[in-house]
Every structure is written in C-alpha cells, then in structure tokens.
Amino acid sequence: MKPRTRNGQDLLTPAAVVDRALMLADAEGLGAVTIRRLAHELDVTPMALYWHFASKEELLDAMADGLLTEMLAIAGPVETVPAGPWRQQLAALLDAQCTVLRAHPSVAPLVWTRNNLSDAALRLTERMLAVLRRAGFSPTDATRIARRAARMTTALVAVRAQFVDGDGDPDRVRDRLSALPIDEFPRVVEAAVALSGCDGPDEHYGLELVLAGIEAEAARLTPFSEPNPPPTPDRAPPQP
Amino acid sequence: MKPRTRNGQDLLTPAAVVDRALMLADAEGLGAVTIRRLAHELDVTPMALYWHFASKEELLDAMADGLLTEMLAIAGPVETVPAGPWRQQLAALLDAQCTVLRAHPSVAPLVWTRNNLSDAALRLTERMLAVLRRAGFSPTDATRIARRAARMTTALVAVRAQFVDGDGDPDRVRDRLSALPIDEFPRVVEAAVALSGCDGPDEHYGLELVLAGIEAEAARLTPFSEPNPPPTPDRAPPQP
DNA sequence: CGGTCCTCCCGTACGCTGTACAGGTATGAA
DNA sequence: TTCATACCTGTACAGCGTACGGGAGGACCG
C-alpha cells in the first residue's frame, strides 16, 4: 500500500512517471515530454527513468496505455452492458473513448497508432467486439468495424490536437479568406466565417458521423434489421 | 525554363528541396527528414536550406502543400465537375485525396493538421465546398462537412501510416491473441485472425464509411431528397 | 572598367535531444 | 558481517534545429 522508500525518499515507480508525463503533456503539449524535463520534475536524474523504461518509446507506450485504462474505467466492466440497442452501446463505448481523448488531446496521437496488446487494450477490444457480435456482425466484420471506429475517433481528436498546436491567428484568417478574389473562390469567400472559426467544443468531433457510417455499413451487411439477428460466424474459432 | 546556375552548379530551389524531402520521407519515413540529412542529399550545407525556408516547420508546410498540389492535379480544375450526383462528385474528391495520401503515407500526418492557406489548399476547399453547396447544404454545413471529411480521410491514412511504422511481427500477434484465456476474451480469441492481420491494401481506409456518414448527415439536414434542393444560405456574404 | 549591392551559400558554435556505459549506495537475504 | 541485488547518479557522445558572421559570385550603375 504505502510506497517503498529509500533514504526517506519515495522510490520512483513506473506509474508515477507515467502520471507525471501525462500531466506534462496535458499542460504543455507532447513536445514538452522530454526525458530530461520529466526527470527534473520527478527530482531525479534522467538516466533514472531508464531503469523503469527501456526507452522513451516504451514510456510513450505506457502513456498511451494509461489513456486506454482510463477509457476502460469509464466504460465500466464488460458485464455492465446497458442491454439497450447495439447502436446505443456502441455510441457509449465510442463516447467514452472520445471523452478520455479530449481530456488528453496531445496524447491522443499515441493511442491507437501503436498496436497495443496491453490488458486495457485487449479488454476494450473485447467489449467492442462483444457489442458488435451481439448485433449480428461476423467476427471479421466486427473486427473491421471496431478497428475503423477506434481509429476514426482517435484520429479525429488527434488531428484536431495537432491542429490547435500549429494554429495561427483567430480572425486574421477570416480576413485573408474574405479578401480572396470572389470570382475564383466564391464558395470560400462565402464561407469565410465558418472556415476561419474552429468548431465549437460541443461538437462531437464527428462522432455521430462515424456512427452514421457504421449504421449504414450495418444495414448493408445484415439486411435483417434490428432485434437480434442470428450470429453469422464466417470463420471457425482458431484451429487447435 | 532551364535552372539558373552558378559556378556551373545548379542553384538550389525550394521545389527541389521539397521534392527531395518527399522522396526521403517516402523511402525512410518522416523521421529521416532532417535538415542535415536533406542537405547532405542535396550536396549542400545544412544552413543553405535556411535561405529558402525560414525553419524546418516551414519546410514541412511546403511538403504538405506538395501533397495538396498533387491532389489538385488529380482532381482536375474546378470546371471539371462530372455533373453527376453530388455523392459521386464528393466520392471522387475524397478518393483523389486518399490516393495521394496513400502514395505518401508518412507525410499524411502533416497535411490537414496545419491550417494551410496556400493556393492548392484553397482551391481544394473551393472544389469541395462547391460540390456540397450545389448539393443544397448551407455554407456553414458545407464547411463542417468538408472539414470533417478532409480530416477523416487524412486521419485514417495518417494513423495507419504511423501504425505500420511501429508495427511488430505479423503472426506473432495472432498467436498471442489466440492464447488468451477464452473465458475472459472470447470475442478477441474468436477474431484473432482478423485482428492480427492488417486490412488489405484494397480497402478504402473506411472511405465508404465516411461517405455513408456524410450521406446520413445530409439526409438529416436537408429532408428534401435529391435533385437540386434550393440553396439555403444561412449567412450573408462577408460584410463590405 | 571599377565599385557596390544583393543573392546565395559556407563554417562555426550553442543548447537541446535520447541514451550507452560505468560507477555508486542503500536494502534485504545469508 | 558479507554479499547480491535493485535502484539511482555522472559523464560522455552523436545527432538535432538553428543563430550569427563571413565570403564568393553575378548584376547593375557610374
């Protein structure tokens, strides 16, 4: 329970390092997460971190995994499926994902880009697949949809995060757009206001768009509509 | 026409630098694009590049712009709209985007993350907005949809690109997935094969999913269905 | 023809990065 | 008490982006 100490100083733990790294990333962007900087914040020599993580890459993996764990905590255990229609369950899962990602936007680019076989990642995929399988998708279809959905949500937040990073001035852009030759760029000039402003924080980052796409794919794949179509396994479980 | 020379040596041009940088990124990943490395490839001192680009950031911008220009070339000039249904026009635009991005996967993360006001970027948005406006969307709706669509496609390719980078072994993953406790991860074990393999190159990176989502949004926004609903401007053109 | 300016590039140097390698020191076991 | 192990420090190195100053060559003007 209580952290082991040495010389009266608390010992460094990987979890503490990851926590601090996440704080740092949230506060000053992923670029501020530096071995030296992180070590300084933890009152420790840079090389001390290399006892717990083999490389910075591994540390980044751990950070990504931290987010996955948060998502899992929000989504709740596997048994806690609200038993509603599958679209709703799926929406809840993706929403949890978006919530966590939006809380740590600058870490988002890390999350589903590394193929994580960690416990949290596996449990999340398990949940996702469970929902989709129960909706009647075959394992391969469920996999494809799950993968795409996960990637889309993270991708949306990630792109947005990097975007905000390199963003320029707020309405300087609008002025430049409005000043364009109207005969060459009529639509751009017309939409200068909308184009220059970033979309409000209430927007779901296109989550509903992703969901709509999935529903459309669902309709295409399983013509029988809603309540519990028979599962259609297209591939036997892995050979023994 | 012929490049200016000095001392018999061809002068360095920004375009040449960008070309070389793109080659380098395609061949060895974005991480290999280094001022020093690039300069070496161009038989020039690192600081020579800083005459043509104020910073590396600016060079990356130029690289992104290179891709946008390629897209524009594929999509053709604005007048070349095939006059089919708008979904088809939109699909063609997004498809061009995907084609170029897939040709330079490691550069993809750069493309729509920086808010580019370059000529190519503007012309592309103009085309996109034109299609959507003609489909009956209001300027703000068209902007929102265009932005999301662009981000999604790039995001999909970008995530995939970074993913391939850090990828591990091909079927080592499958074995690990199959070996999971089946009572805890039944769905994962069941879909081990599908999960371990990356989706084939023929897949459109979820492009059709994005399109389906947009169509759904379209149906929600403009209840009158297809042929040329009246344009519904929701905001006057910029004040004089 | 000589001088002057501007364009384009080189050399050096600084502070930053990740991290290899060797050396220490406190702790728990024997 | 002795020793192995776990954890951390110190030093050093190659590579990064880039600030600053200088210098060679063509262009232009007298």
Side-chain angles (χ1 to χ4, degrees):
Chain A
M1 266 306 113
K2 80 178 197 299
R4 306 192 332 166
T5 71
R6 173 157 120 174
N7 274 357
Q9 293 263 335
D10 291 5
L11 280 194
L12 204 60
T13 75
V17 176
V18 169
D19 277 6
R20 199 78 186 194
L22 285 177
M23 284 189 222
L24 197 50
D26 292 341
E28 307 184 30
L30 197 58
V33 178
T34 284
I35 295 288
R36 290 172 145 89
R37 173 76 189 276
L38 198 49
H40 180 72
E41 304 247 327
L42 293 163
D43 266 322
V44 124
T45 294
M47 291 311 291
L49 302 184
Y50 282 88
W51 177 258
H52 306 275
F53 302 92
S55 64
K56 184 181 182 181
E57 202 68 11
E58 202 169 271
L59 197 158
L60 294 179
D61 285 350
M63 290 174 68
D65 201 58
L67 291 210
L68 293 178
T69 308
E70 275 189 48
M71 291 177 198
L72 202 61
I74 289 188
V78 191
E79 302 79 20
T80 326
V81 270
W86 66 269
R87 300 137 204 274
Q88 211 166 323
Q89 301 176 14
L90 189 61
L93 270 179
L94 293 181
D95 199 56
Q97 200 163 320
C98 277
T99 303
V100 172
L101 289 175
R102 291 173 65 172
H104 312 271
S106 58
V107 196
L110 302 177
V111 174
W112 285 109
T113 66
R114 18 204 97 212
N115 54 349
N116 215 325
L117 295 186
S118 71
D119 191 72
L122 290 175
R123 286 184 197 283
L124 270 177
T125 16
E126 177 66 28
R127 276 209 66 158
M128 194 99 180
L129 288 179
V131 168
L132 290 169
R133 287 285 285 132
R134 236 173 305 171
F137 291 103
S138 73
T140 52
D141 284 340
T143 299
R144 181 161 47 221
I145 293 182
R147 178 144 48 189
R148 284 183 184 171
R151 281 190 194 170
M152 287 239 201
T153 51
T154 39
L156 285 174
V157 181
V159 168
R160 169 54 118 47
Q162 298 177 258
F163 187 84
V164 170
D165 250 6
D167 203 327
D169 326 8
D171 26 34
R172 184 77 52 95
V173 175
R174 194 201 48 209
D175 292 348
R176 283 201 44 188
L177 290 181
S178 299
L180 286 174
I182 201 168
D183 53 333
E184 244 181 319
F185 302 97
R187 311 304 193 178
V188 171
V189 173
E190 176 189 50
V193 184
L195 276 172
S196 58
C198 2
D199 23 37
D202 53 322
E203 298 218 25
H204 276 58
Y205 292 87
L207 180 56
E208 70 287 350
L209 210 153
V210 173
L211 280 169
I214 292 179
E215 286 197 34
E217 180 120 335
R220 198 171 57 76
L221 288 175
T222 71
F224 19 77
S225 65
E226 186 48 25
N228 268 346
T232 66
D234 59 356
R235 189 183 293 271
Q239 57 285 6
Chain B
M1 268 304 114
K2 81 178 195 304
R4 305 192 332 167
T5 71
R6 174 157 117 173
N7 274 355
Q9 292 263 335
D10 291 5
L11 280 194
L12 204 59
T13 75
V17 176
V18 169
D19 277 6
R20 199 79 186 193
L22 285 177
M23 283 188 223
L24 197 50
D26 292 341
E28 307 184 31
L30 196 58
V33 178
T34 283
I35 295 288
R36 290 172 145 91
R37 173 76 188 276
L38 198 50
H40 180 73
E41 303 247 328
L42 292 163
D43 267 320
V44 125
T45 293
M47 291 311 291
L49 301 184
Y50 282 87
W51 176 258
H52 305 277
F53 303 91
S55 65
K56 184 180 181 182
E57 202 68 10
E58 202 170 272
L59 195 160
L60 294 179
D61 285 352
M63 290 175 67
D65 201 58
L67 292 209
L68 292 179
T69 308
E70 276 190 47
M71 292 179 200
L72 202 61
I74 291 188
V78 191
E79 301 79 20
T80 326
V81 270
W86 66 269
R87 299 136 205 274
Q88 210 166 323
Q89 301 177 15
L90 189 59
L93 270 179
L94 292 181
D95 198 56
Q97 201 163 319
C98 277
T99 302
V100 172
L101 289 175
R102 291 173 65 172
H104 313 271
S106 58
V107 196
L110 301 178
V111 173
W112 285 109
T113 65
R114 19 204 95 214
N115 54 350
N116 213 326
L117 295 188
S118 71
D119 192 72
L122 290 175
R123 284 185 199 283
L124 270 177
T125 24
E126 178 67 29
R127 276 210 63 160
M128 194 99 179
L129 288 178
V131 168
L132 290 169
R133 287 285 285 134
R134 237 173 304 171
F137 290 104
S138 73
T140 52
D141 285 339
T143 299
R144 182 160 46 220
I145 293 182
R147 177 143 49 187
R148 284 184 183 170
R151 282 190 194 170
M152 287 236 202
T153 50
T154 41
L156 285 173
V157 181
V159 169
R160 169 54 117 45
Q162 297 177 257
F163 187 83
V164 171
D165 251 5
D167 204 327
D169 325 10
D171 25 34
R172 185 76 52 94
V173 176
R174 195 201 48 209
D175 292 347
R176 282 199 48 187
L177 291 181
S178 299
L180 286 175
I182 201 168
D183 53 332
E184 245 181 321
F185 302 98
R187 313 304 194 177
V188 171
V189 173
E190 176 189 50
V193 184
L195 275 171
S196 58
C198 8
D199 24 37
D202 53 321
E203 300 216 23
H204 276 57
Y205 293 86
L207 181 56
E208 71 286 350
L209 210 152
V210 174
L211 280 169
I214 292 178
E215 287 197 32
E217 180 121 335
R220 197 171 58 75
L221 286 175
T222 71
F224 20 77
S225 64
E226 187 47 26
N228 266 348
T232 64
D234 58 356
R235 191 182 292 270
Q239 58 285 6

